[in-house]
Amino acid sequence: MPLPLNLGVALSFTPQPLSTPSLRLPDGLLGAINAAMPSDSLRLLALDGGGVRGLSSLMILKQLMEAVDPESPPKPCDHFDMIGGTSTGGLIAIMLGRLQMTVDECISAYTSLSDRVFEKKSHRVNLKGKLQGWFDSAALEEAVKGILADRGLRVDELLKDAPDAPCKV
């Protein structure tokens, strides 16, 4: 996830088993970012797509939220004014912004969803010459309905923001 400032720092990632990813942000990174931003700035979170790679965005976001408040990391919807994304990043944006999930809740839901939805296809072109997607759209629909039901919402709930929502998606 590119930052809007070039602070001359790099994120480091230590490969671990999938269940326990480890990511360490450079000391003082968040303070440097906040010091460089005017207090009336709009806080935007943009999430790329990329199938199961969306988990890496969530791992980085988890560390950023913990850097904001190590004792009680805020929900992204309480910290950002707007959250958006493309492809799976858009799905994550809905979970974090519209469904107001914590990063840990989103990681859990996204991991469960990706296990059911994303599949490795040996051929991306079917017998009729049509390009196949990297995911099973029926499984995606069922997984999203399951997430909505788990949050106490109707499975046909409109995911449009409320007009007074502090965080827009």
Side-chain angles (χ1 to χ4, degrees):
M1 175 174 66
L3 296 175
L5 306 170
N6 181 358
L7 300 174
V9 295
L11 301 175
S12 62
F13 181 73
T14 306
Q16 299 286 325
L18 254 182
S19 60
T20 58
S22 174
L23 178 73
R24 186 177 181 289
L25 297 174
D27 293 336
L29 173 64
L30 193 65
I33 293 170
N34 283 335
M37 290 182 68
S39 61
D40 62 346
S41 293
L42 189 61
R43 293 181 182 265
L44 305 175
L45 175 61
L47 302 158
D48 281 338
V52 295
R53 291 183 303 261
L55 188 57
S56 63
S57 295
L58 287 169
M59 293 298 156
I60 293 169
L61 182 61
K62 178 180 170 86
Q63 292 295 311
L64 288 171
M65 294 293 92
E66 288 172 354
V68 169
D69 185 350
E71 298 298 317
S72 180
K75 291 180 180 180
C77 64
D78 294 333
H79 187 72
F80 293 97
D81 300 307
M82 185 176 287
I83 303 173
T86 58
S87 190
T88 58
L91 182 58
I92 292 170
I94 290 169
M95 289 191 284
L96 294 171
R98 174 62 175 84
L99 301 181
Q100 300 181 354
M101 289 183 175
T102 66
V103 177
D104 285 334
E105 290 170 333
C106 191
I107 288 170
S108 177
Y110 188 77
T111 302
S112 173
L113 176 143
S114 63
D115 287 345
R116 292 181 282 165
V117 172
F118 300 110
E119 58 186 53
K120 191 80 165 170
K121 293 187 177 181
S122 57
H123 303 289
R124 289 208 58 216
V125 179
N126 67 17
L127 294 175
K128 294 181 181 178
K130 292 192 177 186
L131 190 64
Q132 294 176 297
W134 289 106
F135 64 93
D136 180 342
S137 59
L140 175 61
E141 181 179 350
E142 288 306 310
V144 169
K145 286 179 179 180
I147 290 169
L148 291 172
D150 290 346
R151 304 295 291 179
L153 300 169
R154 296 184 334 265
V155 296
D156 62 347
E157 183 81 21
L158 291 177
L159 297 178
K160 184 176 177 182
D161 289 321
D164 59 346
C167 178
K168 303 292 185 195
V169 178

